[in-house]
Structure formats: structure tokens, C-alpha cells
Amino acid sequence: MASKDEIDRLIAEADAALGRPPAAPPVRSRREPAPVADAAVERPPGRFEASLKVSAVSGGVAAALVFATFAVLPFLGAFSGAAGAFVATFAIVLGQRLFRRKT
């Protein structure tokens, strides 16, 4: 097993080869860690939040496709068709994601 001096020497050589200043050893702080309540706690999105995002993306894709199709056809309203496609797709996808059975 390599000694701590050898490891420090190798790290210093690697830093010199890469053009970085030599790494200083970590300094331990005597300060107490911040309370957990003050720290921002990241939590994964819940089932409902994830379902809303998926539904919105699905509705957006459907609206874009309907708008592009209806824009070519002069007798159909592109904006109203896109809005209808968004609302219908959003509702269907959201309903399926929220009320599906877990197997």
C-alpha cells in the first residue's frame, strides 16, 4: 500500500502536469453544520406533478401537429383545432396516468 507522502507527491505531479496550482489539503472547519431545516431539500416530483408535465408535453405535441395540418387546409381553423387538440390530449393523458392500475 502506498504511503500518504507518495499519494500527495503523485497528486502534486498530476496538478503540475495539468497546469493547475497544487492542491491544498482539505481544511476541517470547526463550525457546526447548518441545521437540516435551513437547507433546501430537493425531493423528486410526485406522481401528480410528473403526470402534469407528461400531459402538457403530449398536449403540446398534439397541438403542434394539428396546427400544422390545419394551417395547410384553408377551410379549417388552425388555432381552434390546435387548442382543441391540446385540451383533449391533456385531459386524456392526465386521466390515464392518474387512474391507471398499478400491477
Side-chain angles (χ1 to χ4, degrees):
M1 186 171 200
S3 70
K4 186 174 181 187
D5 293 335
E6 289 179 36
I7 294 172
D8 290 338
R9 182 182 57 80
L10 289 172
I11 291 174
E13 285 180 18
D15 287 339
L18 295 173
R20 293 187 287 194
V27 179
R28 301 238 178 208
S29 172
R30 297 212 181 255
R31 222 176 94 191
E32 302 258 340
V36 177
D38 291 344
V41 178
E42 288 188 33
R43 61 176 179 81
R47 181 175 167 203
F48 184 71
E49 292 170 348
S51 296
L52 281 178
K53 289 178 184 177
V54 170
S55 299
V57 169
S58 300
V61 169
L65 291 174
V66 168
F67 181 82
T69 303
F70 284 14
V72 176
L73 304 171
F75 52 87
L76 296 173
F79 288 110
S80 62
F86 176 83
V87 170
T89 305
F90 182 86
I92 291 169
V93 172
L94 183 63
Q96 286 179 344
R97 288 186 57 89
L98 290 179
F99 299 113
R100 67 179 171 197
R101 284 190 230 156
K102 292 190 177 189
T103 55

